[in-house]
Amino acid sequence: MGVTLNQNTDCCKTSCTNSTVNVAGPAGATGATGAAGTNGTDGVNSYAFTNAGFTVPAVGVGVALYVDNATPWATGQTIYVQVAGYYEVTGTSGGTINAKNLGYTGNAAPTTAIATNRLIVSAGVKGDDGSAGITYPAGFAGKGDLLTLNGPLTYSAQAIGSADTQSLFTDSTAPNGMAWRQPLFTDLDHASAPLALDTVTTSGQLPLASLGGGAAAGQMAYWNGTSWEEVPVGGDGYLLSYDLGNNKPAWVASGAAVGVVAMGVVNTTGTTLSKAATVSGGMNVGTPSTSVPAVLVVTLPFNASVGSGQLCVSLTQAAANNSDRLYVSSITTTGGANGYGQLQVTAQLVAADVDFHFVVFNNS
């Protein structure tokens, strides 16, 4: 709508200049809806199906895959072909994907026939190979075999010992540093860990190195007051006696004259804190005495001389509830309560009575 305005600023003039200005009028009614726009183009599937079979080529060799849709992929991409495995796209043209066999683990073997209508999807590139793993031996043949390390990442089977009672020892000469064998005396007295015998009263430890291995059947050991010594195997029919002159056990030929110089049956009563001893059926033996420092020691004094020859002592248990550790700790021919020497027997300290027979022989 137009409105005419007077442009004169001097209201006294008799003539005026007019101008017309457009002023918006009220809004009109809403117009009719326009026509719909044109639909956009449909998207492309990100997968495809083969529409012809093919034969798996050799690793690194290409093959033409005829598909219903080749547009999702570009050269260099990795694809997975159902049943066939992983392939690399080397080019596309129309309905064809040219791809080479990557030979990944799980791929179908070359010359395998792949049927039509197999799904194709995008896949990732195979990662780098990991570091070399452990090489294990071919297998274990026997019960108890062990897996042992020979060197960096190299293992072998350590067969179980060839006989009962064998133990596994470190052995620097063996390829895997271990060997099965029977224990030796020297194993119990290694310089780094000497053997401590808790059944003998001693202020130190008892080394066994001087025994030389203990390999002979029937070999025994005795304590000489300073170290362990070997008692060699005796002859057939020999008797084990005690050589007072050399203060050690000794084997005596069975033909030598042997006489009984003392004997009896010892019975002990009491507790592990205190024991009393009596002798029945005794010959050449006085009143016994006992001590209980950590083991039970029974001292049996002789009433008369037992001679100056080699002495042999026989000890046997007299009851089933006795200690299973019974041995001669010392024997002398002088001194003691009666001046004729004495026999000392050491037993394991138990609460029950400890009863035993003793016989002292003289090989004169």
Side-chain angles (χ1 to χ4, degrees), residues 251-337:
W251 290 101
V252 177
S254 59
V258 177
V260 176
V261 294
M263 66 178 184
V265 179
V266 176
N267 171 256
T268 66
T269 58
T271 68
T272 56
L273 300 177
S274 176
K275 291 281 189 184
T278 58
V279 177
S280 61
M283 183 189 83
N284 194 23
V285 60
T287 303
S289 61
T290 62
S291 63
V292 287
V295 291
L296 171 62
V297 178
V298 179
T299 301
L300 301 162
F302 300 129
N303 287 335
S305 173
V306 292
S308 58
Q310 293 181 341
L311 297 178
C312 175
V313 180
S314 172
L315 296 175
T316 56
Q317 293 181 350
N321 62 352
N322 280 182
S323 163
D324 59 357
R325 300 175 183 174
L326 193 68
Y327 60 92
V328 175
S329 50
S330 69
I331 186 170
T332 61
T333 57
T334 59

Side-chain angles (χ1 to χ4, degrees), residues 15 27 38 60 63 87-88 101 132 136 152 159 222 239 260-261 317 319 324:
S15 62
T38 304
V63 64
Y87 286 70
E88 180 185 331
N101 183 2
Y136 289 98
Y222 73 96
L239 300 176
V260 176
V261 294
Q317 293 181 350
D324 59 357

